[in-house]
Amino acid sequence: AGQTVQRIMVNHQVEKAKRECVVWAIALLSSGTVVSADSFGRVQFWDWEQGTLAESHTISTSAALSLAVSEKEDSIVVGTSTGATYQLQLLPVKLGGLEKRWVRTKPFQFHSHDVRAVAHSPTALISGGLDAQLVIRPLMEKVQKKGYDAVLRKFTFPHRRLVSCARKARLLLFQFSQYLELWRLGSTEETGKDGEVLPLCRMPEHLVQLKSKGPEHIYCSCVSPCGTWVGYSTASRFQLYRVHCDGDGVSLRKVPKVPKLLPPAYQLQFSADSESLFVASARGSVHVFQLLEPGGCKHLHTLQPPSGCSEAVYLLAPSADGHWLAAVSGDWAIHIYNLKCFKHHCVVPTYNCAVSALAIHPSTNNLVIAYSDQQLLEFSIPEKQYTHWSRAVQSRGLHRTWLERDSPITHITFNPKNPAHILLHDTYLLCILDKSLPLPDDSALLMNQSALKQLPETARKRQLHAFKICKKFQ
């Protein structure tokens, strides 16, 4: 009937408390025990029928914010406001005895801020917090094989690009939560050997900062290849600006009467010639805007998938010749549109993982796709099928070390001087994938660039493979 059966006053256990005690998390065990985590840093065990305290453990001087119980109910993980996580285990009081007590066994300091969420798997403690990191800490005594599963893993967010490049103008646009920054790249006139740091003849230059009005975070942003247009979107509005360079100074002018978008943009992408802007919507469609001189825009067309998908489009990739546009929606479908007639061209065969990055090759119009499970596929847009190289990759299989990486590829581009080179990067590494070279076997070293330098020419050729990986980049 919705009546209160039991009321437990946690504050009663603290004498002369100067601040109010807040219970941040609770769990109910099958034995009828209620477990609470509170702002005094305590984990307490209560008899839920009597409302009496059975055990109390002060695990931290800071607040205990979250807790999770293992499936067997013999282990608990607790997250605190200092970024530390703690494990409590139900252990026998005496070796071989039947009586058991909860004991704090392991502290871990893997976060820098509040640990707001924790989970307990059969073999690991999982925590997430305000530092935007997800941490999986394996319990070594539960891991059978001391391999990939036994490695501490940290995942950083978000898994998408926050930097866009105006290649022709040598500008970079950096996206922060409340503002954008436009920078001009530095340059050097020197050349050097591999590994050398070259002196700059021109330093990187901060041109302008664009602040978003209101409390909403910026969701997506982009700068045009020519560097004269900047667009961004928050949860409620889309903004477009014209960039004017006057000598060394830069000014931004807001484009008036931008077409209203409901709901707002999930992704923005300019065409290679900077004459069009593609706006991905939350309802599966892509709006095409024409950019007008001296600073205006008009709505040209709305591209719709034939299936009528209502999932948000979160990735866009236009072709360099302005003929094609690839769009990825939340149902993981990749739709290809013909921009000459504004019609749907085809759908890439469905794969059972999310797309993390994609790009269209400027000379072949092959679509290169990176998936969240680290698979790489190449799809010929004109022929509507996977390429011969892509089929060979799937038949041979990618290197085990490559597939075991945690960080997803967030950007793909190409080497304009060598059509066989695909450039990929994630949070930690930059990779040149050379399609003219064979794929490595699992027995080969994936990151073999430094080892190759030590070998004579004949031995070096035998150990060359398609993956050239560098971890020394910012």
Side-chain angles (χ1 to χ4, degrees), residues 317 319 323-326 336-337 345-346 348 359-361 364-368 378-385 387:
S319 64
H323 201 126
W324 308 105
L325 177 71
I336 312 294
Y337 296 98
H345 178 66
C346 67
V348 177
I360 300 175
H361 197 285
T364 64
N365 276 336
N366 289 336
L367 177 67
V368 179
E378 186 181 51
F379 182 83
S380 171
I381 293 176
E383 297 177 10
K384 301 183 182 182
Q385 63 181 3
T387 64

Side-chain angles (χ1 to χ4, degrees), residues 20 26 50 70 109 123 159 219 221 223 226 256 267 299 305 318 320 329 341 343 351 360 368 374 401 416 449-450 471:
E20 185 181 0
I26 56 172
Q50 304 297 324
S70 66
Q109 185 74 48
T123 58
H159 287 158
Y219 191 87
S221 61
V223 60
C226 66
Q267 181 77 0
H299 181 263
S329 51
C341 58
K343 288 187 177 179
Y351 186 70
I360 300 175
V368 179
Q374 310 300 348
T401 305
Q449 298 302 298
S450 57
K471 286 197 171 185

Side-chain angles (χ1 to χ4, degrees), residues 136-387:
I136 298 178
R137 172 62 170 86
L139 298 169
M140 298 307 291
E141 69 272 15
K142 303 280 188 181
V143 178
Q144 300 298 320
K145 288 170 64 180
K146 300 298 185 281
Y148 179 61
D149 290 336
V151 180
L152 171 69
R153 293 187 277 167
K154 283 189 177 185
F155 301 89
T156 55
F157 296 93
H159 287 158
R160 57 190 174 89
R161 288 191 291 147
L162 299 178
V163 179
S164 60
C165 176
R167 182 179 295 182
K168 296 173 185 174
R170 294 181 58 79
L171 302 179
L172 289 179
L173 181 72
F174 294 92
Q175 177 185 319
F176 297 87
S177 60
Q178 301 283 339
Y179 61 92
L180 304 173
E181 284 188 356
L182 192 64
W183 285 72
R184 180 177 284 125
L185 281 169
S187 58
T188 182
E189 295 173 349
E190 302 291 327
T191 58
K193 296 178 182 178
D194 183 24
E196 289 183 352
V197 178
L198 302 180
L200 294 178
C201 62
R202 180 171 181 167
M203 296 299 291
E205 184 184 357
H206 179 230
L207 299 177
V208 69
Q209 184 183 88
L210 175 60
K211 290 186 178 181
S212 172
K213 293 180 181 178
E216 294 177 337
H217 285 196
I218 297 172
Y219 191 87
C220 59
S221 61
C222 197
V223 60
S224 62
C226 66
T228 59
W229 301 90
V230 168
Y232 77 89
S233 179
T234 66
S236 65
R237 67 186 188 280
F238 162 67
Q239 305 279 16
L240 184 63
Y241 288 82
R242 189 68 194 265
V243 182
H244 294 278
C245 295
D246 307 314
D248 291 334
V250 173
S251 62
L252 293 174
R253 187 169 64 84
K254 187 177 177 181
V255 175
K257 298 180 181 178
V258 173
K260 296 291 183 184
L261 293 176
L262 292 172
Y266 264 55
Q267 181 77 0
L268 298 172
Q269 191 73 46
F270 288 92
S271 61
D273 59 10
S274 300
E275 292 183 2
S276 300
L277 172 63
F278 307 107
V279 180
S281 85
R283 292 176 183 164
S285 59
V286 180
H287 305 290
V288 183
F289 290 164
Q290 182 183 3
L291 303 173
L292 306 171
E293 296 293 344
C297 74
K298 71 174 183 178
H299 181 263
L300 276 186
H301 197 82
T302 297
L303 303 169
Q304 296 274 11
S307 59
C309 167
S310 60
E311 295 275 354
V313 173
Y314 68 94
L315 282 178
L316 294 171
S319 64
D321 60 9
H323 201 126
W324 308 105
L325 177 71
V328 186
S329 51
D331 58 358
W332 302 346
I334 305 174
H335 294 277
I336 312 294
Y337 296 98
N338 186 326
L339 295 175
K340 296 302 180 184
C341 58
F342 294 119
K343 288 187 177 179
H344 188 269
H345 178 66
C346 67
V347 181
V348 177
T350 305
Y351 186 70
N352 63 346
C353 275
V355 180
S356 64
L358 78 167
I360 300 175
H361 197 285
S363 58
T364 64
N365 276 336
N366 289 336
L367 177 67
V368 179
I369 312 160
Y371 289 93
S372 58
D373 65 350
Q374 310 300 348
Q375 289 292 344
L376 299 170
L377 297 177
E378 186 181 51
F379 182 83
S380 171
I381 293 176
E383 297 177 10
K384 301 183 182 182
Q385 63 181 3
Y386 288 120
T387 64

Side-chain angles (χ1 to χ4, degrees), residues 53-80:
L53 181 65
E55 289 186 52
S56 181
H57 299 266
T58 302
I59 61 166
S60 173
T61 55
S62 62
L65 299 175
S66 53
L67 61 84
V69 185
S70 66
E71 191 175 354
K72 293 183 178 179
E73 298 188 353
D74 58 356
S75 176
I76 293 175
V77 57
V78 185
T80 67

Side-chain angles (χ1 to χ4, degrees), residues 111-131:
H111 295 274
S112 58
H113 293 71
D114 295 13
V115 180
R116 295 287 182 90
V118 288
H120 202 313
S121 83
T123 58
L125 309 179
I126 306 159
S127 55
L130 290 186
D131 57 0

